[in-house]
Amino acid sequence: MSTFATDLTIYELKAEADRLFNRKRLTNFGLPALVFVYLIYVFFAFDVSGMAERANWENGKTLIADSYSYKTHVSRDNRTGEVSTAIEGERKGRYPDGEAPGWVSLGETTVIDLEDGHIVRFGPETVEYDIPGYGTVRATPTRSAGVQAELPAGEVPDWINVSKNRMAITTDAGRLTVTRNRSEVFRYFNGWELFWFTLDSPYYGKSFPELAGLAAQGEARAILNDFWTNKMWRHQDVAWAIFETILMAFLGTLGAGMIALPLAFLATRNFNPLKSVRFLTRRVFDFVRGVDALIWTVVLARAFGPGPLTGALAILVTDTGTFGKIFSEALENVDEKQIEGVQSTGANAPQRYRYGVIPQVTPVLLSQLLYFLESNTRSATVIGAITGGGIGLLLTQAIITQKDWEEVAYYIVLIILMVMLMDWFSGWLRRRLIQGETGKIRKARDTKAKSFFLP
């Protein structure tokens, strides 16, 4: 080879190396720059700065505080003078007539002690609120002239809202609202009141040692029944809703796997020589998985009506397409030698599938089924909110009412625990079914090898 040819080859190699290096450098710097430009576009297109300005952080703080606290309502009907006290303002949490918490003194003039000098008085005609550092606010509700408010001299602070028909005062101690027909005080406390027992239960207010003592005396069943049938927190209904959610995920996932497996054989080249059937089957898989489960939920709810079964069908339809694609790809990668070995024993077609194909794809099938079972447990919560079943329905109802956010927090905690439980269960089952079988096969192989070499 001439020196000219050698120099030309070295030049070409160097040029090729420079080209590849420039491409790699362009890729390394170009992709991050492209992502950065896209993020800048998103910042302006979605008006992120304006969103931050429009955010109401006070409402957010109130919402978070309401998730771990409860409020007691002390209400007076301005027309009749009747005073009532209720947890969260619900009839199920109302104190019996003539009873109230210790900080409320019932009488002709009801005195409400909000502590730290904050005192509210429901008089026969006038409502008074003593506010330390500000003075006494008086409001007289009338049918004809609305709410006549008397405030201390000076500028009205922003935590007092006064109009012709309403006066509202919000302080750190509580809140007072007065309208023509109703006067009401709200006082907040930390915790989930009445979570264990309601006010009408004989076990309300008792400590754990007291309950343990009563249980030892033979009242365990009554104590459990009062907790289980709690009218405020509805533990019995919540437990059934959790069961419905898990049932939707289980039925949908298992049903999809049972339908997708035989259809997957029709979509593979090595088991179905008919190209048209393979094409049609794959397009069916694309269609059912291409439509989101929420859309299938709306369609099926219109066809079959609301209910947990509709949610399970929505999961089944969507996952059938996903499982069909995954299972068909697993079937296309099976080892033909194992199938031929089973066939050499004289096995028929179903036996070849049972003993030559299924054992090879079982780890993939079980792994995907268990993963989707865990994932569908979360999806069933959202689907249940649409179909009217499961814990998702209770969560949606609690959010819509916008009054008992501690119930929302309770349902969210239960959903997280449910997902954690399903994650643990699917992991345990995966180890038992997949790793356990692999360990047995490995152990049998080692035993056979030892018996071959040992005398």
Side-chain angles (χ1 to χ4, degrees):
M1 182 182 293
S2 64
T3 304
F4 176 77
T6 303
D7 293 341
L8 181 61
T9 302
I10 294 175
Y11 176 79
E12 291 176 349
L13 291 175
K14 183 176 182 302
E16 180 67 16
D18 291 341
R19 186 177 65 83
L20 293 175
F21 177 75
N22 290 333
R23 178 187 296 178
K24 187 174 182 180
R25 183 171 58 181
L26 180 63
T27 302
N28 292 339
F29 289 97
L31 287 179
L34 186 62
V35 172
F36 181 72
V37 171
Y38 175 73
L39 292 178
I40 294 177
Y41 165 76
V42 169
F43 182 84
F44 290 102
F46 291 94
D47 192 16
V48 177
S49 60
M51 187 184 303
E53 293 176 358
R54 292 189 300 270
N56 193 323
W57 302 110
E58 289 299 323
N59 286 346
K61 290 170 57 178
T62 302
L63 179 63
I64 294 174
D66 204 21
S67 66
Y68 60 82
S69 63
Y70 69 95
K71 59 182 178 291
T72 301
H73 297 225
V74 183
S75 307
R76 189 189 73 168
D77 189 329
N78 295 333
R79 296 165 296 185
T80 63
E82 179 186 358
V83 177
S84 62
T85 307
I87 305 297
E88 294 293 352
E90 293 191 22
R91 183 175 298 275
K92 293 175 290 187
R94 181 172 176 174
Y95 281 80
D97 293 339
E99 296 185 15
W103 46 276
V104 178
S105 300
L106 300 176
E108 183 178 357
T109 297
T110 299
V111 180
I112 305 167
D113 186 2
L114 301 179
E115 297 185 351
D116 297 328
H118 291 262
I119 305 293
V120 177
R121 289 180 292 272
F122 288 162
E125 302 293 338
T126 303
V127 177
E128 297 181 349
Y129 186 179
D130 295 339
I131 305 173
Y134 180 69
T136 300
V137 177
R138 295 178 177 84
T140 304
T142 62
R143 298 287 295 174
S144 57
V147 177
Q148 299 178 358
E150 301 177 24
L151 306 178
E155 185 179 354
V156 178
D158 56 3
W159 40 269
I160 297 180
N161 190 325
V162 179
S163 64
K164 178 181 178 181
N165 297 317
R166 184 175 183 271
M167 183 186 74
I169 302 175
T170 303
T171 66
D172 294 336
R175 189 166 82 244
L176 167 67
T177 61
V178 181
T179 62
R180 291 185 177 186
N181 299 324
R182 191 179 187 86
S183 300
E184 193 163 20
V185 171
F186 306 88
R187 186 179 180 186
Y188 286 83
F189 298 88
N190 291 330
W192 291 352
E193 184 68 353
L194 308 183
F195 180 82
W196 302 104
F197 306 105
T198 52
L199 293 171
D200 58 351
S201 171
Y203 307 108
Y204 171 75
K206 295 187 181 298
S207 63
F208 180 77
E210 291 175 326
L211 292 174
L214 293 173
Q217 296 174 12
E219 297 187 35
R221 178 175 296 182
I223 293 173
L224 181 61
N225 180 71
D226 273 23
F227 168 76
W228 190 245
T229 58
N230 189 312
K231 297 176 183 177
M232 287 282 289
W233 290 86
R234 302 184 298 170
H235 300 301
Q236 186 176 11
D237 296 337
V238 171
W240 176 251
I242 290 286
F243 173 76
E244 281 188 341
T245 302
I246 296 176
L247 186 63
M248 277 193 289
F250 180 78
L251 290 178
T253 306
L254 184 62
M258 295 175 63
I259 295 174
L261 181 58
L263 292 178
F265 282 94
L266 300 178
T268 56
R269 297 185 183 90
N270 46 344
F271 293 102
N272 182 17
L274 300 177
K275 186 175 181 180
S276 59
V277 176
R278 293 200 308 268
F279 177 83
L280 181 62
T281 306
R282 289 182 178 273
R283 298 295 76 78
V284 171
F285 289 159
D286 293 340
F287 172 71
V288 294
R289 82 170 187 271
V291 180
D292 191 78
L294 291 179
I295 299 178
W296 282 119
T297 302
V298 176
V299 173
L300 294 172
R302 186 68 179 267
F304 300 103
L309 183 59
T310 303
L313 288 175
I315 295 174
L316 183 147
V317 172
T318 305
D319 284 0
T320 296
T322 305
F323 286 154
K325 177 178 174 58
I326 295 173
F327 293 172
S328 61
E329 292 176 351
L331 290 171
E332 287 182 344
N333 295 318
V334 297
D335 186 3
E336 296 291 341
K337 294 181 180 179
Q338 185 170 336
I339 303 175
E340 293 173 358
V342 175
Q343 186 177 4
S344 65
T345 63
N348 54 29
Q351 290 173 334
R352 291 198 301 270
Y353 292 154
R354 167 63 181 84
Y355 298 102
V357 178
I358 298 300
Q360 296 189 59
V361 298
T362 295
V364 176
L365 267 61
L366 290 178
S367 178
Q368 293 298 325
L369 281 171
L370 293 174
Y371 170 76
F372 274 85
L373 176 61
E374 173 195 340
S375 177
N376 288 334
T377 303
R378 298 188 297 269
S379 301
T381 301
V382 181
I383 291 174
I386 300 175
T387 61
I391 192 67
L393 176 63
L394 297 182
L395 178 63
T396 305
Q397 290 174 344
I399 292 175
I400 291 175
T401 57
Q402 295 186 357
K403 62 175 182 178
D404 296 339
W405 282 97
E406 61 270 27
E407 286 191 18
V408 176
Y410 175 45
Y411 298 147
I412 291 176
V413 169
L414 289 179
I415 291 170
I416 294 174
L417 292 177
M418 178 182 64
V419 172
M420 292 173 61
L421 176 63
M422 294 303 296
D423 177 44
W424 169 84
F425 174 73
S426 63
W428 174 82
L429 203 58
R430 188 181 295 110
R431 289 191 298 270
R432 295 282 295 178
L433 297 178
I434 300 177
Q435 298 178 6
E437 290 297 325
T438 305
K440 290 180 181 179
I441 295 174
R442 187 183 297 110
K443 184 177 181 181
R445 184 183 60 194
D446 295 342
T447 303
K448 185 176 181 180
K450 290 180 181 178
S451 64
F452 179 79
F453 288 105
L454 293 177

